[in-house]
Amino acid sequence: MESIQNKFAANLQEFRKKRGLTQEELAKKLGVTFQAVSKWENAKAAPDIFLLPTMAGVFGCTIDQLFFAVGRKPIRVDKISIGNTVFDASYFGELDRSCDSGYAVKLEFWRLENTGNIFSHCPKSFNVLPYNNYPSIEIERGQVFVVDCHTRNGAIERRFYLADGTIWRDMPSTVEIIVDTESV
């Protein structure tokens, strides 16, 4: 049976790579050395328990997911209304962006279930969101995601993204779609 430390090491490395971070970049976000991150990923040491909430925030996961599995299952299933249609929406967590220089301090992620071709007619914007920004979600072509962007001024902007095979900077990405809530 695999030890918890070995599971943590493997999950940490997978989360870090999924986010497109080097060991040095992760170390900077956590306020530790890259050697510490290397030791964690090689199961030669474990992080201080007080770093776990920050680490989970960086990866947009729960502390449990750091130890027990890179989660592919939603945290919960909600209902999201778009126009007159109510969708089941699998909630996959949030990503803390407060350390970044952008306008968003937090992103929350839902995958809309059973959308069929409802959103295929929606015009696309020029905004893309690479897969490594999503918290532990297996992304397949045709899926639609709702991303709530919590901004520095306290507003929440709801955006919609479609997995349509877009590649941006050699990375699979979703593309933002403009949803007319009256026609859904």
Side-chain angles (χ1 to χ4, degrees):
M1 187 163 105
E2 189 177 24
S3 75
I4 289 176
Q5 187 165 359
N6 287 337
K7 272 188 163 292
F8 174 82
N11 290 342
L12 176 63
Q13 187 174 43
E14 187 172 342
F15 275 121
R16 178 181 60 76
K17 288 181 177 179
K18 186 168 173 55
R19 286 278 174 264
L21 297 171
T22 65
Q23 287 181 341
E24 283 187 32
E25 291 167 332
L26 177 58
K28 185 176 181 181
K29 287 180 179 290
L30 298 174
V32 299
T33 65
F34 78 89
Q35 291 94 337
V37 174
S38 177
K39 286 180 183 178
W40 301 339
E41 288 186 359
N42 289 297
K44 295 183 185 209
D48 185 292
I49 192 169
F50 295 107
L51 280 176
L52 296 177
T54 303
M55 194 177 292
V58 167
F59 297 131
C61 69
T62 66
I63 292 173
D64 283 352
Q65 288 172 320
L66 288 172
F67 284 93
F68 299 110
V70 174
R72 303 290 185 228
K73 296 180 182 173
I75 295 168
R76 66 179 188 265
V77 177
D78 296 330
K79 301 282 187 194
I80 291 182
S81 296
I82 304 171
N84 294 323
T85 307
V86 178
F87 295 92
D88 286 332
S90 297
Y91 179 72
F92 284 91
E94 61 186 49
L95 178 61
D96 181 356
R97 300 297 294 257
S98 58
C99 295
D100 297 342
S101 62
Y103 76 99
V105 294
K106 179 173 74 171
L107 302 175
E108 291 184 290
F109 296 86
W110 287 266
R111 181 182 64 214
L112 296 181
E113 306 299 345
N114 304 316
T115 58
N117 291 323
I118 295 172
F119 296 95
S120 61
H121 70 281
C122 294
K124 298 174 183 176
S125 79
F126 293 104
N127 295 326
V128 296
L129 191 60
Y131 285 12
N132 68 353
N133 282 274
Y134 287 86
S136 306
I137 305 173
E138 288 293 328
I139 298 175
E140 297 175 11
R141 185 180 277 243
Q143 292 176 327
V144 176
F145 297 91
V146 174
V147 179
D148 283 345
C149 302
H150 296 254
T151 65
R152 295 195 184 280
N153 67 8
I156 300 174
E157 297 176 8
R158 177 159 281 178
R159 297 182 178 185
F160 299 88
Y161 289 86
L162 173 66
D164 68 348
T166 294
I167 302 294
W168 181 76
R169 294 189 178 175
D170 298 323
M171 184 177 296
S173 302
T174 56
V175 63
E176 185 178 12
I177 54 176
I178 310 304
V179 175
D180 176 7
T181 58
E182 300 299 317
S183 65
V184 175

